[in-house]
Amino acid sequence: MKLAVVGGGSTYTPELIDGFARLRDTLPVEELVLVDPAADRLELVGGLARRIFAKQDHAGKITTTTDLDAGVAGADAVLLQLRVGGQAARDQDETWPLECGCVGQETTGAGGLAKALRTVPVVLDIAERVRRANPDAWIIDFTNPVGIVTRALLQAGHKAVGLCNVAIGFQRTFARLLEVNPSEVHLDHVGLNHLTWELGVRLGGPDGENVLPKLLAEHGDTIADDLHLPRQILDRLGVVPSYYLRYFYAHDEVVRELGTKPSRAAEVAAMEKELLTMYGDPTLDTKPGLLAKRGGAFYSEAAVDLAASLLGGGGSPVQVVNTYNDGTLPFLPDDAVIEVQARVGHDGATPLAVPALDPLYAGLIANVTAYEDLALEAALRGGRDRVFKALLAHPLIGQYDYAEQLTDRLVAHNREHLAWA
C-alpha cells in the first residue's frame, strides 16, 4: 500500500507519521511519500519521519520529493494538508478582519473566505494531477476550510472525503470523562465542518444509551471551560456545540479578545521555528511534546481509520466525515457537504440518518451553507462582486458596509494568490 501526503513538509507531519507507525495493523503502509515544495522543511521532517518508523520497527519506506506528479504516482490514497501562503497568509486572515470589527479566523468569516479563495484552485489542480496519475486513488482532505474544499473536489468528480479532528477530539474527551474506551463512544454529531453540535453521546453504538444528559450534569463545568462558553448555555441548549460556535454565540466578546493578543498564526509560526530546530536533531526519534500545542489533536488516528476503511482494511465502519448531504438534512441541497456520522467503505462514505434538527441549529446550518455556495462560486470564478456577495451572506458579517470594507482588504492582502485580481 502506498500513500502520499501533499503538504508533507508541515511541522505537524510527525504526528501523522507516529499514527501510521502505531496503527500499522490497521493500515499496513508499505511506502509513504511526503510531497512539499519547501525542500528545506521537507528534509528535516522526512528525516524525523524515518527515525520514528525505525524507532517503532516499522518496515515501511518513507521518501520525500518536491515533484508532485512523481510523489502521487501509484498512490492508493493521497492526503491533502497544505496551507497556501503559509502562516504569513494565515496571520493576515486573522488580523485584517478585526479592523472592521469582525472575527479574524482562518476557517470562518472573512479570513475563512480568503483561505478558500487561495486554496480551492490549488487543490483542484493537485486533484486533477492525482486523477491523471491514478484515477482509482482516494483523496482525503484535511485542508481547511474542509467543507468548501471537499465540495469543490466532489463537484469536480474526484474520489474524495473530507476529514476534521473536532469529532474525534470530543470522542476522546467524553471517553475520558466517562472512563470508558473511546471505541465505545458514538456521537450524534451533526452540522457542517466547524459548525457542528453533539446532539447525543451514545455508548456501544448508534443505537446505544444516550449519556449526554449525564455528561452535562456531572461534567458540564469541564466541558464549558474547554469550549470557553458559559455552563448555563450548555444546560439551556442540552447539546455540546463545537468550539467554533463561540465565534457565532459570542462574536463581539471574541473580537475584543483577539484584539488584545498576538494572532494564533504568530504563535504557531514561533512554535514551528522551534519544532524545525528539534527535527534537525539526528538523535530525535519520537514526536516532541511541543507538537501537542501545534493543533490537530488525534488527526493521525482519524486519518488512519478513514484511509483503512476506504482502502478495504480494518478501519471503523462508522466515522465522522465530510461528504455529500444526499438528503440527510432535508432542508439542504443534496450536493451540500455536511459533517456527520457515515458508513465508510471502499465505495466511499454514506451518511447515517440524523434526528430532525431544532430550527436553532437548522437555520444557522442553512445560512452558512448558502454562504459556502457563494464562497465556492467566488473561488472557482473569481471577481470582486462574488467575494462581496459571499461576505454579505455570512452570518458573522451580513452588513453591506462591512462586506465592502472586507472585500477591499481581502483582495489587497491576497492579490498574489488570486489570478483574477
Side-chain angles (χ1 to χ4, degrees):
M1 180 185 299
K2 176 180 177 180
L3 300 184
V5 180
V6 179
S10 166
T11 56
Y12 189 71
T13 296
E15 173 68 30
L16 188 61
I17 300 299
D18 180 71
F20 287 144
R22 289 185 292 103
L23 302 172
R24 54 185 165 228
D25 291 340
T26 302
L27 186 68
V29 177
E30 296 168 300
E31 182 178 359
L32 180 63
V33 184
L34 305 181
V35 184
D36 203 293
D40 52 345
R41 292 169 62 107
L42 193 58
E43 180 180 356
L44 295 173
V45 174
L48 175 56
R50 295 185 191 97
R51 295 193 297 272
I52 290 174
F53 262 31
K55 172 77 170 181
Q56 300 193 36
D57 296 320
H58 193 299
K61 176 184 177 183
I62 296 178
T63 59
T64 61
T65 182
T66 58
D67 185 331
L68 175 68
D69 296 315
V72 302
D76 297 290
V78 177
L79 283 70
L80 304 182
Q81 57 171 35
L82 56 140
R83 183 182 295 280
V84 179
Q87 293 298 331
R90 177 181 178 176
D91 183 69
Q92 296 291 338
D93 294 344
E94 294 176 342
T95 51
W96 54 261
L98 296 175
E99 298 169 4
C100 301
C102 296
V103 160
Q105 212 277 328
E106 66 159 336
T107 61
T108 193
L113 177 61
K115 193 172 197 304
L117 298 181
R118 294 193 303 269
T119 305
V120 166
V122 173
V123 166
L124 288 179
D125 176 66
I126 292 169
E128 189 56 42
R129 291 161 73 175
V130 170
R131 179 156 53 190
R132 289 200 299 266
N134 182 7
D136 293 325
W138 278 102
I139 294 177
I140 297 174
D141 176 56
F142 193 63
T143 296
N144 281 319
V146 167
I148 295 172
V149 172
T150 302
R151 186 169 182 179
L153 288 166
L154 291 173
Q155 287 187 351
H158 297 290
K159 293 176 61 177
V161 180
L163 183 63
C164 180
N165 69 319
V166 167
I168 194 172
F170 274 132
Q171 182 199 44
R172 299 307 172 89
T173 296
F174 296 156
R176 175 174 51 80
L177 295 174
L178 293 166
E179 299 181 337
V180 299
N181 189 293
S183 63
E184 297 179 54
V185 177
H186 177 94
L187 303 177
D188 290 340
H189 179 99
V190 181
L192 310 176
N193 180 241
H194 291 181
L195 192 84
T196 52
W197 296 262
E198 309 307 326
L199 305 184
V201 179
R202 302 181 183 278
L203 292 181
D207 300 318
E209 176 192 4
N210 181 15
V211 296
L212 180 56
K214 175 184 176 181
L215 268 170
L216 290 176
E218 297 181 2
H219 304 286
D221 288 340
T222 298
I223 297 170
D225 287 347
D226 287 346
L227 299 174
H228 301 287
L229 287 171
R231 163 73 183 269
Q232 65 185 30
I233 295 297
L234 304 189
D235 290 337
R236 292 179 71 179
L237 296 179
V239 304
V240 178
S242 84
Y243 47 85
Y244 287 92
L245 265 298
R246 186 167 184 258
Y247 298 118
F248 296 82
Y249 293 164
H251 176 274
D252 293 353
E253 178 183 343
V254 172
V255 168
R256 288 192 295 270
E257 287 178 5
L258 293 175
T260 64
K261 60 184 181 180
S263 69
R264 173 63 178 164
E267 295 175 354
V268 171
M271 223 178 294
E272 286 192 333
K273 185 177 180 180
E274 187 174 352
L275 284 168
L276 288 170
T277 299
M278 293 178 176
Y279 295 171
D281 180 354
T283 66
L284 182 68
D285 55 12
T286 59
K287 60 178 182 179
L290 178 62
L291 191 54
K293 299 180 180 179
R294 170 67 178 79
F298 308 116
Y299 164 49
S300 59
E301 284 87 344
V304 167
D305 207 16
L306 179 54
S309 293
L310 292 173
L311 299 176
S316 303
V318 175
Q319 300 171 39
V320 173
V321 298
N322 285 260
T323 191
Y324 270 150
N325 177 45
D326 280 339
T328 306
L329 300 180
F331 54 88
L332 295 184
D334 285 348
D335 66 350
V337 166
I338 61 174
E339 185 173 292
V340 294
Q341 291 276 10
R343 294 201 179 279
V344 183
H346 62 87
D347 291 329
T350 303
L352 300 182
V354 302
L357 287 185
D358 186 295
L360 178 64
Y361 315 123
L364 186 53
I365 290 171
N367 191 339
V368 175
T369 297
Y371 151 75
E372 291 189 347
D373 289 346
L374 295 168
L376 183 53
E377 183 76 1
L380 294 173
R381 301 180 63 191
R384 189 185 185 284
D385 284 348
R386 293 188 180 93
V387 173
F388 170 80
K389 289 177 182 178
L391 290 168
L392 187 62
H394 201 294
L396 293 182
I397 301 165
Q399 298 184 53
Y400 72 84
D401 55 339
Y402 285 175
E404 287 281 10
Q405 294 177 53
L406 290 166
T407 299
D408 289 341
R409 285 167 169 77
L410 186 155
V411 173
H413 286 287
N414 289 275
R415 287 189 188 280
E416 66 180 294
H417 301 291
L418 305 177
W420 52 267

